[in-house]
Amino acid sequence: MNAQLKKGLLDVCVLSALSRGESYGYKILKDLAPYIDLSESTLYPILRRLEAGKCLDVHSVEHEGRLRKMYTITETGRQQIRDFLNDWKEVEIIYHYIEEGIDCD
């Protein structure tokens, strides 16, 4: 898969997980595990990039004596999901065009 396409897809997967409610890194990994293979070393740069892009709000809470970063999706993040879904419709049209042109026999 094209690296740029995969990057955008991973960003939207993380945003989608957060659209279901505030969460933290390890829980995001667990929530996405049935759908996509994502490592911590991939997730945390995504979270930092999304925070820098104002797609996420971040705050810390104490949990069992340690600080845990909690992530919440912003309206900018929700708009990024909507934009991705609209773009994906165009990708599907192109996909079907390409698929129809291939002789599968």
Side-chain angles (χ1 to χ4, degrees):
M1 179 182 284
N2 176 291
Q4 278 302 110
L5 181 59
K6 188 172 184 177
K7 176 183 170 186
L9 182 62
L10 292 176
D11 287 3
V12 172
C13 286
V14 170
L15 289 169
S16 183
L18 290 167
S19 73
R20 291 158 170 78
E22 180 179 72
S23 194
Y24 55 95
Y26 182 70
K27 184 165 183 331
I28 294 168
L29 287 173
K30 285 179 53 178
D31 291 345
L32 292 175
Y35 309 102
I36 194 162
D37 184 26
L38 189 63
S39 67
E40 286 184 43
S41 62
T42 302
L43 174 64
Y44 288 102
I46 290 169
L47 290 169
R48 285 191 296 274
R49 183 173 58 248
L50 292 172
E51 179 184 7
K54 308 288 188 219
C55 295
L56 303 177
D57 285 329
V58 182
H59 68 277
S60 296
V61 296
E62 189 173 331
H63 178 74
E64 298 180 359
R66 298 179 63 198
L67 288 180
R68 174 183 281 171
K69 277 190 173 182
M70 299 298 291
Y71 301 90
T72 306
I73 191 170
T74 64
E75 182 53 37
T76 301
R78 291 183 191 285
Q79 185 60 48
Q80 187 167 329
I81 293 172
R82 288 189 290 271
D83 292 346
F84 175 85
L85 291 173
N86 286 332
D87 290 345
W88 193 256
K89 290 175 187 171
E90 291 178 33
V91 171
E92 283 183 310
I93 291 168
I94 294 167
Y95 171 85
H96 290 297
Y97 172 77
I98 293 168
E99 184 180 46
E100 289 172 4
I102 294 176
D103 185 6
C104 297
D105 295 331

